């Protein structure tokens, strides 16, 4: 989704062993790189600050499985047409898999499934989340979004702008398929010539799916473990009291069984090796941000006030909106840990303070 736009994503420290990147440069738009026999890497340019998403094309006997699709812009439709006719040899897409429901991953899924009469595979929660989030005029959605922004300190005019922005992003998704082949954590699924273990994690999305094949040593990691940027871990208006950072940090243990030398195929950036190092870096990044949050909140602050301190270089209402989600993820985690409390006492506004 556009919230994964990189603007509010912290770079995480890289003091430990550097990651290894087997490919020097990504495939150009419309071209593919074979990352393992029968698995092609294509890069889809995005209209956001985070300017691309990787998709994976897995060769099947009767066509292709496509993992993630990008979003609906004229350029991306054209690019897919070129991939279908070129590297994919005019063979049909028999199955589309969604790692999760953010618009840069699932935006063209409905279009592709309808075009090829493909199967659609994903987790139930991400499918439902996407059907709600990328649809205009879902009752009570705008009012909940507005109340959430006001509660966190936005002025009414800025809150209106953010509610309007969100509506614009909805046009980047085609209507989601009306059916789903559901996958759950621990399932096994055959994609191409390999059998993959499904790893469903919270944090970046509610039920994000990764796919691990221990025999070939490959993990299709979606947005959950990105190499260069920290995946956006954010609170949104639908679940304002959630603790996605707690979910994210506890998800790392789900990858304990992934072998050290595994090739990680991420949705942004380049394939890499070094899962242990990367998980350590991501954990360290969030520990630093939690410390900074607790320190700043010695002085009672709204979510918006703290966002400006945590992201001092960010400008523009839209970007501050993204920063708010990430700031609240750190606040809510500290609230869940009992370190921070909402001390506002006024209806309709929250002010957080670190407990003495
Ligand atoms: Zn995402």
């Amino acid at each position: 989704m556009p919230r994964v736009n990189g603007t509010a994503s912290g770079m995480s420290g890289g003091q430990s062993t550097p990651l290894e990147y087997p490919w020097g440069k990504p495939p150009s738009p419309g071209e593919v790189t074979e990352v393992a026999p029968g698995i092609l890497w294509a890069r889809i340019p995005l209209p956001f600050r985070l300017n691309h998403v990787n998709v994976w094309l897995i060769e099947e006997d009767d066509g292709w499985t496509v993992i993630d699709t990008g979003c609906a812009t004229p350029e991306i439709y054209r690019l897919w047409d070129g991939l279908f006719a070129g590297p994919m040899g005019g063979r049909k897409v028999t199955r589309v898999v969604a790692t999760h429901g953010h618009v840069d991953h699932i935006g063209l899924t409905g279009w592709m499934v309808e075009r090829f009469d493909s199967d659609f595979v994903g987790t139930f929660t991400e499918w439902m989340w996407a059907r709600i989030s990328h649809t205009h005029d879902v009752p009570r959605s705008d009012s909940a979004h507005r109340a959430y922004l006001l509660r966190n300190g936005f002025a009414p005019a800025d809150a209106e702008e953010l509610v309007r922005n969100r509506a614009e992003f909805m046009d980047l998704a085609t209507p989601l398929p009306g059916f789903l082949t559901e996958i759950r954590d621990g399932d096994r699924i055959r994609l191409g010539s390999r059998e993959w273990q499904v790893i469903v994690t919270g944090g970046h999305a509610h039920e994000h799916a990764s796919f691990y094949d221990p025999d070939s040593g490959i993990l299709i990691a979606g947005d959950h473990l990105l190499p260069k940027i920290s995946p956006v871990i954010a609170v949104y208006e639908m679940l304002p009291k959630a603790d996605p950072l707690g979910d994210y940090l506890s998800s790392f243990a789900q990858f304990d069984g992934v072998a050290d030398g595994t090739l990680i195929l991420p949705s942004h950036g380049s394939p890499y090796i070094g899962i242990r190092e990367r998980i350590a870096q991501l954990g360290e990044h969030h520990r630093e941000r939690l410390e900074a949050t607790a320190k700043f909140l010695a002085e009672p602050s709204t979510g918006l006030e703290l966002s400006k301190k945590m992201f001092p270089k960010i400008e523009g209402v839209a970007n501050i909106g993204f920063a708010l989600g990430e700031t609240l993820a750190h606040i809510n985690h500290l609230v869940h840990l009992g370190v921070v409390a909402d001390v506002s006492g006024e209806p309709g506004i929250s002010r957080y303070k670190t407990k003495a």
Side-chain angles (χ1 to χ4, degrees):
M1 71 186 317
R3 277 145 178 169
V4 190
N5 72 347
T7 54
S9 293
M11 301 293 290
S12 49
Q15 295 85 347
S16 48
T17 320
L19 308 177
E20 193 186 314
Y21 296 95
W23 288 273
K25 66 180 180 63
S28 304
E31 291 174 8
V32 296
T33 298
E34 188 172 58
V35 292
I39 305 181
L40 306 181
W41 168 24
R43 182 164 272 206
I44 309 287
L46 293 177
F48 312 130
R49 186 84 79 86
L50 181 54
N51 63 6
H52 69 273
V53 62
N54 298 324
V55 299
W56 313 100
L57 315 174
I58 301 185
E59 201 167 2
E60 304 284 356
D61 290 338
D62 54 351
W64 295 92
T65 288
V66 170
I67 301 189
D68 291 342
T69 55
C71 56
T73 69
E75 187 187 4
I76 300 178
Y77 281 114
R78 272 199 302 277
L79 192 123
W80 273 116
D81 282 336
L83 288 170
F84 295 148
M88 296 167 78
R91 296 165 70 217
K92 67 178 277 191
V93 174
T94 54
R95 178 165 49 181
V96 182
V97 178
T99 57
H100 63 299
H102 293 167
V103 79
D104 49 332
H105 298 259
I106 212 166
L108 282 181
T109 295
W111 164 77
M112 201 178 291
V113 164
E114 190 158 274
R115 173 168 174 158
F116 292 100
D117 194 20
S118 322
D119 192 12
F120 170 51
V121 175
T123 63
F124 179 77
T125 299
E126 289 303 306
W127 172 59
M128 287 306 284
W129 182 91
R131 291 188 90 190
I132 294 168
S133 293
H134 308 324
T135 302
H136 287 281
D137 302 325
V138 175
R140 307 274 160 83
S141 285
D142 285 357
S143 55
H145 191 196
R146 195 174 293 116
Y148 156 89
L149 293 165
L150 296 174
R151 187 162 59 244
N152 286 298
F154 276 91
D158 290 343
E160 274 329 299
E161 187 179 331
L162 286 168
V163 170
R164 271 198 310 275
N165 279 352
R166 186 168 154 277
E168 281 168 25
F169 280 125
M170 290 171 189
D171 298 330
L172 292 169
T174 55
L176 270 291
F179 68 93
L180 172 75
T181 297
E182 186 190 5
I183 45 172
R184 296 183 181 186
D185 187 47
D187 282 357
R188 282 165 199 279
I189 182 171
R190 194 148 195 98
L191 304 174
S193 59
R194 298 174 177 82
E195 190 170 85
W196 305 78
Q197 298 170 7
V198 178
I199 303 174
V200 175
T201 48
H204 175 69
H206 298 290
E207 284 191 0
H208 178 291
S210 301
F211 303 89
Y212 177 48
D213 172 25
D215 294 333
S216 334
I218 301 171
L219 176 74
I220 298 168
D223 275 358
H224 202 74
L225 298 170
L226 300 175
K228 290 256 162 83
I229 54 170
S230 160
V232 172
I233 308 298
V235 168
Y236 301 113
E237 67 281 359
M238 275 201 262
L239 290 162
K241 292 182 182 166
D243 178 16
L245 183 55
D247 293 338
Y248 188 61
L249 296 174
S250 62
S251 79
F252 292 156
Q254 292 178 259
F255 297 91
D256 283 353
V258 174
D260 288 358
T262 297
L263 176 67
I264 315 291
L265 305 182
S267 292
H268 308 285
S270 289
Y272 67 98
I273 295 167
I275 187 168
R276 299 276 99 74
E277 290 83 353
R278 190 58 192 140
I279 284 177
Q281 290 166 1
L282 290 164
E284 183 53 29
H285 164 75
H286 286 295
R287 271 187 293 280
E288 283 168 11
R289 300 294 277 175
L290 284 168
E291 252 174 54
T293 302
K295 221 156 136 192
F296 280 132
L297 288 180
E299 197 182 316
S301 307
T302 63
L304 177 62
E305 287 162 350
L306 184 62
S307 299
K308 290 176 179 171
K309 290 180 187 171
M310 295 289 286
F311 296 89
K313 289 183 192 149
I314 272 190
E315 286 174 10
V317 174
N319 288 328
I320 295 172
F322 294 129
L324 173 69
E326 300 205 34
T327 301
L328 284 174
H330 290 87
I331 293 175
N332 282 10
H333 189 54
L334 293 172
V335 170
H336 280 255
L337 293 174
V339 175
V340 160
D342 181 353
V343 297
S344 150
E346 291 170 55
I349 182 114
S350 289
R351 242 178 228 101
Y352 297 96
K353 186 177 187 308
T354 299
K355 292 181 188 174

